[in-house]
Amino acid sequence: MFIKVINGPNLNMLGVREPGIYGHTGYKELVELIENHAREKGIRVECFQSNHEGDLVDEIQACYGLVDGIVINPGAYTHTSVAILDALKAVSIPAVEVHISDVDSREEFRKISYVRAACEKTISGHGINGYLEAMDFLSEAKE
Ligand code: DQA
């Protein structure tokens, strides 16, 4: 089982950005948590983060034929990006959408997700644990 964890814009600022909403864990610590969890579960994992929409599209395309599952937090591009939706549809790799905060209980514009239509599941508002839950979902679905 090979999972790619893709994070979009501003998620490199975790721990610094709005800690009341996104918590105090930094991006580097998040990657360590994901890698430790993967090791325990016997999952191969790679993490990728970019602030650029096209780079996220390139990374999703690069997963084609190589990756068994995608965990994606597209950040603000969740609410705007048809390109990321289309990339996920193009590779048709099982994907889970993750949001650290509960997007449905925030501003109206955060309730719209373009990527959701290409994802098997959405995990929202479970903090950084949501990434681990998404990995478990994908690996259990593959068994
Ligand atoms: C987010 C929620 C988005 O609305 C926001 O733009 C982010 C992070 C989350 O993880 O809760 O950058 O995806």
Side-chain angles (χ1 to χ4, degrees):
M1 181 80 195
F2 180 19
I3 292 178
K4 183 76 77 168
V5 179
I6 298 176
N7 275 292
N10 298 307
L11 288 152
N12 57 317
M13 295 293 282
L14 279 179
V16 174
R17 86 182 275 217
E18 302 180 89
I21 297 174
Y22 299 111
H24 292 276
T25 306
Y27 179 72
K28 201 167 160 274
E29 292 164 86
L30 171 65
V31 170
E32 282 166 14
L33 282 170
I34 289 169
E35 288 175 350
N36 288 340
H37 188 72
R39 207 170 299 119
E40 278 166 23
K41 299 274 170 157
I43 297 168
R44 180 178 163 215
V45 76
E46 268 179 20
C47 296
F48 176 83
Q49 189 277 330
S50 176
N51 294 323
H52 306 280
E53 187 175 16
D55 289 347
L56 296 166
V57 169
D58 286 345
E59 190 65 21
I60 293 165
Q61 290 184 4
C63 289
Y64 182 69
L66 296 175
V67 166
D68 303 304
I70 294 175
V71 174
I72 184 159
N73 182 350
Y77 289 136
T78 307
H79 319 299
T80 62
S81 181
V82 177
I84 292 174
L85 166 68
D86 285 349
L88 288 169
K89 283 189 168 174
V91 297
S92 77
I93 297 167
V96 176
E97 173 190 15
V98 170
H99 299 287
I100 295 168
S101 66
D102 180 8
V103 281
D104 289 323
S105 66
R106 298 180 63 193
E107 301 95 324
E108 281 302 307
F109 64 84
R110 291 188 206 274
K111 293 180 183 162
I112 297 157
S113 169
Y114 283 84
V115 302
R116 195 158 299 173
C119 294
E120 299 199 350
K121 190 180 168 79
T122 297
I123 298 171
S124 177
H126 296 192
I128 53 169
N129 205 48
Y131 291 92
L132 312 185
E133 288 173 28
M135 289 164 69
D136 291 346
F137 174 84
L138 288 168
S139 73
E140 280 158 25
K142 193 160 191 281
E143 276 167 11

